[in-house]
Amino acid sequence: MKEEQFRTTYKKAVDAMKSSETMKQGLVNKMEQKRRPRKMVYVAASVLLAAGIGLAGPNLWQQLNGTAGSDQVAQVNPGTPAAGTSAGIVIPKIELPDKTTGVAASMVALIVYKGNIYTQAATRIEAADAAALRGEQLGRTTGGIDEWSGKDEYIELASNIGEADIYTVKGYDSGFLVMSYTEIDGQVYADLYEHTNGITINSGADLFGKLNLEGRIASAQWESFSSWNNGQQQYLPLPGGEALDGFLTALQTAKPLAAEPLMEQGIYDSEDRKIIYLQLDDKARVELTLFGQGLVRYGTAPVFFEVESGAFQALWNSMNP
Amino acid sequence: MQQPMTRPGNHVIRSYEIYANMLFRIALVHLGSRQDAEEATQDTFIKLMEKAPAFKDDEHQKAWLIRVITNHCNNLLGRGWRKREVKLEGIEPVTADNPEDMAVMQLVLALPVKYKTVIHLYYYEDYPIQEISRILRISESAVKMRLKRGRQLLKLELEGAEPE
């Protein structure tokens, strides 16, 4: 058979093969079953957000700002070098795009509270533990934001998550973290939303301090890049002790670095990465990505942190398969 | 207009809408059974839900999903899962209408596992060798070798100038 004939025929044959209508419902059922035994609610960063943020984190900020200007993305304060500096990193405030630009916002899960956009947090919590963390009710979201929304729809408690009650999170500043919490048929659905835009980060404390990590680690795990990259979920225990404690202390004084230059330089092209999962004593689970060159990233905020090399290496070296 | 209440995993459903058919077809080529392919596809999205990886862009996510379902299928087959020859199961009604389509599918299904993914990605998804190499995390020469061997097994006569 000739190659092109094969290509055409094969495509036709494959095109004829469609999944059944029940496959999606089957997935939904499996997802429900997966949650039910452990009542685990994953408050992971939205994939769509992650897709925009991972390498192109600042692009989301650009997109949400409706501009492509480099001055709209995370940047080092004017007059300072881009990396290796202790100068503050300015993460510009997210705003919904101006509809007239024709730029549609990526549908990151978000809510508007006190004039700021809170995006789905890169922290997880089990549904069973959410109630214990639930604080004061702040209001109820109204939905209304979609891919085509403009700034005029940027109103208090607007969201793209439909209607949900919003609460403070006990032990956390509501200027940083809030929670949506709903019960449907006895099943708890809770998400954490964090405000990590419109801020200046001068040191790790400006971000990690809000998570109050030090002295609160109940347990820790880590995952290799290979496992992460292949979805194998091979979590290994990360012993507490000096290496972890030293790392967390150093994290507070870590130097913030603008994400964009690092990503342009291809930091995500390297496989020299390890992911650590910190289970806090309030049951929240914080995920940090460690890059072999001594950098750390939390969530999707367009900033990396350069951790003191001794502390970083001690933890890095303790993670061996 | 109100949107439905967000639930954990909504992002998975969004990804499902985009990638489910692509993944289902990859699984089908590997496993030869509609039911098994659907299950593998669901399992892949469950991994996406549980892992919630941070992708650098949409292509990164797509590549991750392809890699995960390919590995999943390979693992199933490698473990001697459902020890049997991979044949079309439950999809004949669609392909049987056209014997030529059916014959081509049978040829691909009969390929050794390691060649199927490369053949599918190259001839169905139209990925170039370099991209297949990136997605599967194997060398370009390995992709070329698998493509070459796959072509031989399929008895394809090359017409273009694609590298071997």
Side-chain angles (χ1 to χ4, degrees):
Chain A
M1 183 185 293
K2 295 193 172 182
E3 187 184 35
E4 276 315 300
Q5 182 192 357
F6 168 79
R7 188 189 296 272
T8 305
T9 308
Y10 180 60
K11 280 190 176 188
K12 189 160 156 265
V14 174
D15 279 339
M17 296 171 186
K18 292 186 171 59
S19 57
S20 70
E21 293 295 319
T22 58
M23 184 167 82
K24 184 175 177 182
Q25 189 54 48
L27 172 62
V28 171
N29 293 343
K30 277 189 178 182
M31 288 165 69
E32 290 291 332
Q33 285 166 11
K34 279 279 174 186
R35 287 188 204 113
R36 205 163 285 134
R38 293 178 299 152
K39 288 193 177 289
M40 172 67 92
V41 175
Y42 289 93
V43 188
S46 151
V47 166
L48 291 181
L49 171 63
I53 293 292
L55 174 66
N59 291 347
L60 176 78
W61 265 251
Q62 285 179 340
Q63 196 178 31
L64 286 168
N65 277 300
T67 80
S70 59
D71 59 341
Q72 295 294 316
V73 301
Q75 57 194 294
V76 177
N77 279 342
T80 60
T85 171
S86 58
I89 299 296
V90 177
I91 300 177
K93 185 171 180 171
I94 295 177
E95 292 179 1
L96 292 175
D98 183 344
K99 272 192 282 196
T100 58
T101 64
V103 177
S106 290
M107 273 296 95
V108 178
L110 60 85
I111 62 176
V112 179
Y113 175 61
K114 287 194 173 175
N116 294 312
I117 289 184
Y118 286 62
T119 50
Q120 195 167 20
T123 301
R124 305 176 182 193
I125 190 168
E126 293 186 13
D129 302 314
L133 278 172
R134 189 172 50 154
E136 173 196 351
Q137 185 169 2
L138 299 172
R140 186 169 176 82
T141 55
T142 55
I145 293 177
D146 59 27
E147 285 90 336
W148 300 276
S149 296
K151 286 179 180 173
D152 55 329
E153 283 155 289
Y154 182 102
I155 58 173
E156 189 66 2
L157 288 172
S159 77
N160 60 5
I161 64 169
E163 292 186 16
D165 291 323
I166 304 298
Y167 295 85
T168 60
V169 186
K170 289 178 184 173
Y172 299 86
D173 180 355
S174 63
F176 170 63
L177 201 66
V178 296
M179 174 195 292
S180 68
Y181 185 98
T182 306
E183 288 189 25
I184 303 171
D185 299 330
Q187 182 82 19
V188 171
Y189 295 94
D191 283 323
L192 295 178
Y193 291 86
E194 61 193 10
H195 173 221
T196 53
N197 65 91
I199 58 175
T200 299
I201 294 182
N202 293 301
S203 74
D206 289 334
L207 185 58
F208 302 114
K210 293 172 179 172
L211 290 164
N212 196 19
L213 298 176
E214 279 188 280
R216 289 213 305 137
I217 309 298
S219 64
Q221 291 178 307
W222 73 280
E223 185 180 19
S224 68
F225 175 83
S226 173
S227 169
W228 174 87
N229 200 40
N230 291 298
Q232 293 168 336
Q233 299 175 251
Q234 293 170 345
Y235 304 121
L236 297 165
L238 178 60
E242 211 172 297
L244 183 56
D245 291 345
F247 172 82
L248 293 175
T249 301
L251 209 50
Q252 300 299 313
T253 55
K255 293 177 183 175
L257 303 174
E260 190 178 54
L262 289 163
M263 292 192 288
E264 284 176 351
Q265 290 161 22
I267 189 168
Y268 274 91
D269 294 338
S270 167
E271 298 185 359
D272 197 18
R273 264 180 273 168
K274 295 173 182 176
I275 298 93
I276 64 173
Y277 305 92
L278 307 173
Q279 186 84 38
L280 306 185
D281 56 14
D282 63 5
K283 308 292 175 62
R285 188 189 194 209
V286 174
E287 177 179 328
L288 301 175
T289 303
L290 276 59
F291 296 78
Q293 50 272 68
L295 303 179
V296 175
R297 192 174 190 198
Y298 165 72
T300 53
V303 59
F304 288 75
F305 292 89
E306 185 177 19
V307 179
E308 187 274 314
S309 62
F312 182 93
Q313 280 304 324
L315 183 66
W316 183 270
N317 294 340
S318 74
M319 292 184 277
N320 294 305
Chain B
M1 186 177 71
Q2 288 296 337
Q3 295 182 356
M5 166 62 65
T6 185
R7 291 187 178 206
N10 264 10
H11 61 280
V12 175
I13 296 300
R14 288 179 190 225
S15 299
Y16 177 94
E17 303 292 354
I18 300 169
Y19 299 116
N21 273 330
M22 175 196 69
L23 297 176
F24 167 75
R25 286 162 174 159
I26 290 172
L28 194 59
V29 168
H30 279 75
L31 305 174
S33 151
R34 168 183 295 280
Q35 185 182 340
D36 296 339
E38 290 188 352
E39 198 160 320
T41 305
Q42 290 167 347
D43 290 346
T44 300
F45 284 103
I46 291 293
K47 282 192 173 183
L48 180 67
M49 179 188 81
E50 292 186 332
K51 193 69 197 81
F55 300 111
K56 63 184 180 183
D57 54 28
D58 291 343
E59 279 305 313
H60 188 194
Q61 178 180 206
K62 187 176 177 182
W64 186 89
L65 288 167
I66 292 174
R67 198 157 52 244
V68 166
I69 200 164
T70 301
N71 288 341
H72 186 59
C73 291
N74 289 346
N75 287 342
L76 288 173
L77 295 166
R79 287 205 302 259
W81 170 82
R82 294 190 57 178
K83 288 180 182 172
R84 58 169 170 68
E85 193 180 346
V86 174
K87 292 177 180 173
L88 289 168
E89 281 180 10
I91 51 180
E92 293 90 335
V94 177
T95 50
D97 293 344
N98 188 323
E100 191 182 11
D101 293 358
M102 185 77 171
V104 163
M105 274 309 299
Q106 292 287 17
L107 279 174
V108 174
L109 287 169
L111 288 174
V113 173
K114 67 191 291 189
Y115 305 128
K116 286 181 183 176
T117 316
V118 170
I119 289 290
H120 183 82
L121 294 179
Y122 187 82
Y123 286 107
Y124 183 78
E125 297 288 347
D126 293 325
Y127 277 121
I129 285 168
Q130 188 183 29
E131 195 70 5
I132 296 172
S133 159
R134 191 183 65 79
I135 290 171
L136 299 181
R137 298 198 173 271
I138 57 177
S139 69
E140 286 188 31
S141 49
V143 176
K144 289 177 187 174
M145 187 56 70
R146 292 181 191 188
L147 199 50
K148 180 180 178 182
R149 184 72 184 126
R151 283 167 171 152
Q152 287 171 346
L153 292 168
L154 292 168
K155 297 185 169 54
L156 297 188
E157 297 170 30
L158 288 184
E159 294 164 295
E162 290 294 346
E164 289 190 6

